[in-house]
Amino acid sequence: MRPAAATRACFFSVGARRYALDASRLVRVAEVGELTRVPRTGPELLGLFAQRGQVMPLIDLHPIVGLEQDDLRPSLAALVQARTSTFALNLEVVLGFAPLGKLEPLTVSVDTSSHVSPKGPCLRGHTTFEDKPAWVLNLDVLADTLGERLHAA
């Protein structure tokens, strides 16, 4: 019997933070064109943009995982497919694709770029990519959390 293949992950950065997501859920990486702000929504929704004839919500991960937002102008987005929806995550740089290494629990603080570590149910744990920590996203929980936050706004 052959061992199960390791999950491939897409590693990317937003500001000083590195994140990872299951590469099988990545639809594509796209440039963010004109961004339309949506009044009376939370800080996690940066706005809406058109992508191949669809209107996509562009999400900032930082407020969802309890971190301060960066003042970066969104230029790239990872379009991802969660269990019930497709949405776009703001990103700065795609760092690469690699097997998802050992997942460590969130109780261990390894973030050297700040005294505050990300937290919350949208994160499965952390791993490393190129010897630096990367926070692994749970896209289905993230989609549920976004739905709750956006409907409450």
Side-chain angles (χ1 to χ4, degrees), residues 39-140:
R40 295 189 287 176
T41 57
E44 60 276 340
L45 180 62
L46 294 171
L48 304 172
F49 72 106
Q51 182 55 220
R52 295 187 181 176
Q54 284 188 293
V55 175
M56 280 288 149
L58 182 62
I59 305 304
D60 183 357
L61 290 169
H62 288 153
I64 294 168
V65 298
L67 300 174
E68 289 185 31
Q69 283 183 288
D70 289 339
D71 292 329
L72 300 172
R73 192 237 177 264
S75 60
L76 287 177
L79 280 65
V80 295
Q81 178 65 52
R83 177 179 47 240
T84 58
S85 61
T86 301
F87 54 92
L89 298 171
N90 181 39
L91 64 92
E92 196 171 354
V93 176
V94 174
L95 301 168
F97 292 82
L100 186 58
K102 182 180 177 191
L103 210 57
E104 298 291 338
L106 292 174
T107 56
V108 179
S109 178
V110 298
D111 193 345
T112 58
S113 64
S114 168
H115 295 292
V116 180
S117 293
K119 59 185 177 297
C122 299
L123 297 171
R124 292 177 41 208
H126 67 84
T127 189
T128 58
F129 180 73
E130 298 177 342
D131 297 322
K132 294 184 180 169
W135 303 98
V136 182
L137 300 174
N138 183 330
L139 293 176
D140 293 330

